[in-house]
Amino acid sequence: MRAYERLIRYARVHTTSSDRTGTHPSTARQFDLARLLVEEMKQLGIADARVDEHCYVYGTLPATPGCEDKPALGLIAHMDTAPSASGENVQPQVVEYTGGDIPLPAGGKVLSPRQFPVMDTLVGHTLVTTDGTTLLGGDDKAGIADILTAIEHIQTEQLPHGKLCIGFTPDEEIGEGADLFDVEGFGADFAYTVDGGAAGEIEYQNFNAASAKLEITGFSVHPGSAKNLLVNALTVATQLHGLLPASEAPEHTEGTEGFYMLEEISGTPARAHMEYILRDHDAAKFARRKETMRRAADFLNARWGEGTVQLTITDSYYNMEEKILPHFHLVENARAATLAAGAQPVTVPVRGGTDGARLSFMGLPCPNLGTGDFNCHGECEFVSAQQMDQVVQILLNIIELYSK
Ligand SMILES: [Zn+2]
């Protein structure tokens, strides 16, 4: 079976996660795909395939004779789809792409190379699109399909390999995919998440991330007699925002430039609440951003009275680069495997986080690989069947490199 055919089966299973339920998994429907995958893994000869109570799917292929001393390699993808678009009743369309616009059958949307220039590089490919009313869920069911298709090749062609550990997680899209991942039970020395975009993407740098919450307490008096008395929490909030560099916002930054982003602001003269996210690839600059935030709060407390501004900064995740550099063979082998599969390795610092970043700090170094999926999280999502084939070959090449 080709990887895109597997994807089409998985895409029909509704697995949208939710950041509102607070349960693990966040939505019970993710078990529907988990059970289907356990069944399929068993058919592929992964005898210990299982799903745990929190909807994490694990399974291992023991090393083939002669490869017992080779490193244990993990391959990880996620089962949930983003809550930002509907993932219910997904109707994948298979299109033999000859160029130009692709009309999506429902909803009146069109996939156009004018909007998505990457389509020009995919003429002659078999594309799988949505029907225009849902996302496709190639993020990250394409990753699951790539991994299990590679396993199928290994089994039917009896390819030699070290111990292989397969993991499929729930709730990646709400930032919780790594939370209950059993790194020890997984049993891998290192792993790859297969959760990127185009075939050939290799990602091992991501943001350092923190959130900052501010509670601002004003002193409310009648405006007619407010002179030298009123402390307007809303004014203090705007002053705080004014103390941050205006150019260091997401809408003005790219590449490895970090930012502050105001995500929430609400209040009255008596009380205001603000929430920021802070991002930077560079650890020292990340620390300076947090310091800038603290100094702004200190300044306003000195100006308006101690306790006016209460600041809480919480780290969210860190740049995995420091955990990957000591195992840089992960990147070098991925590059060699990509070139050998006829694809171009592309490494771009991720302006976000990955589950692999969290896993890297949990003791499982874990760069991220492309899947063959494009425009994730919306109705314009599609995959290239040929790029998915290429990802399967990249995975097989990586497995071969680690069995030598
Ligand atoms: Zn993903």
Side-chain angles (χ1 to χ4, degrees), residues 38-366:
V38 167
E39 210 37 58
E40 185 170 341
M41 287 162 78
K42 285 189 171 155
Q43 281 166 18
L44 290 171
I46 302 175
D48 67 348
R50 63 201 180 275
V51 56
D52 75 8
E53 61 189 308
H54 298 298
C55 201
Y56 286 72
V57 173
Y58 302 105
T60 50
L61 272 187
T64 51
C67 290
E68 294 89 345
D69 61 336
K70 302 302 177 193
L73 181 66
L75 296 172
I76 298 168
H78 66 88
M79 297 179 285
D80 64 315
T81 63
S84 56
S86 169
E88 190 170 12
N89 191 25
V90 174
Q91 299 289 341
Q93 316 294 313
V94 179
V95 179
E96 298 302 331
Y97 187 50
T98 55
D101 291 357
I102 303 176
L104 301 176
K109 281 206 173 71
V110 166
L111 287 185
S112 170
R114 283 190 303 281
Q115 201 177 1
F116 307 116
V118 71
M119 291 171 71
D120 287 331
T121 69
L122 303 173
V123 174
H125 286 219
T126 303
L127 305 183
V128 183
T129 75
T130 72
D131 71 355
T133 64
T134 66
L135 49 64
L136 179 63
D139 176 10
D140 185 25
K141 292 167 183 172
I144 299 173
D146 294 335
I147 291 170
L148 289 185
T149 306
I151 296 293
E152 184 177 30
H153 279 276
I154 282 171
Q155 298 292 65
T156 53
E157 292 154 42
Q158 300 192 345
L159 303 173
H161 57 84
K163 180 183 173 192
L164 296 177
C165 310
I166 310 300
F168 300 129
T169 72
D171 292 337
E172 189 274 349
E173 299 290 0
I174 57 167
E176 296 180 359
D179 283 11
L180 296 168
F181 193 94
D182 177 10
V183 169
E184 197 155 324
F186 187 55
D189 295 310
F190 33 76
Y192 294 90
T193 50
V194 187
D195 187 20
E201 278 185 9
I202 303 162
E203 299 164 339
Y204 65 96
Q205 299 147 307
N206 61 282
F207 273 146
N208 296 290
S211 62
K213 289 191 178 163
L214 295 124
E215 301 299 341
I216 302 170
T217 310
F219 184 73
S220 205
V221 289
H222 188 279
S225 51
K227 188 163 186 186
N228 297 329
L229 279 176
L230 172 70
V231 178
N232 185 336
L234 292 170
T235 301
V236 178
T238 60
Q239 287 172 347
L240 184 122
H241 195 65
L243 289 168
L244 303 176
S247 62
E248 296 177 21
E251 60 271 41
H252 301 303
T253 50
E254 61 183 354
T256 53
E257 298 166 334
F259 59 75
Y260 306 85
M261 180 181 180
L262 178 59
E263 282 212 317
E264 204 179 311
I265 181 166
S266 61
T268 62
R271 186 169 294 277
H273 172 80
M274 305 172 87
E275 290 185 19
Y276 283 87
I277 58 170
L278 281 52
R279 299 287 187 264
D280 214 301
H281 288 97
D282 183 274
K285 288 184 188 164
F286 177 59
R288 273 207 294 282
R289 283 187 195 285
K290 293 194 273 188
E291 191 52 33
T292 300
M293 210 78 194
R294 283 190 204 101
R295 285 189 185 191
D298 288 348
F299 169 74
L300 291 168
N301 280 330
R303 181 169 172 182
W304 294 107
E306 208 47 52
T308 303
V309 178
Q310 279 184 309
L311 168 67
T312 315
I313 297 179
T314 311
D315 287 356
S316 311
Y317 53 84
Y318 302 108
N319 187 345
M320 74 169 110
E321 185 172 15
E322 67 174 87
K323 298 293 177 191
I324 302 300
L325 288 180
H327 309 274
F328 206 64
H329 55 84
L330 285 166
V331 176
E332 287 165 342
N333 282 339
R335 283 185 180 143
T338 301
L339 287 169
Q344 200 51 44
V346 177
T347 298
V348 184
V350 180
R351 290 179 68 78
T354 72
D355 266 4
R358 300 265 316 281
L359 293 170
S360 294
F361 283 88
M362 288 162 70
L364 183 66
C366 200

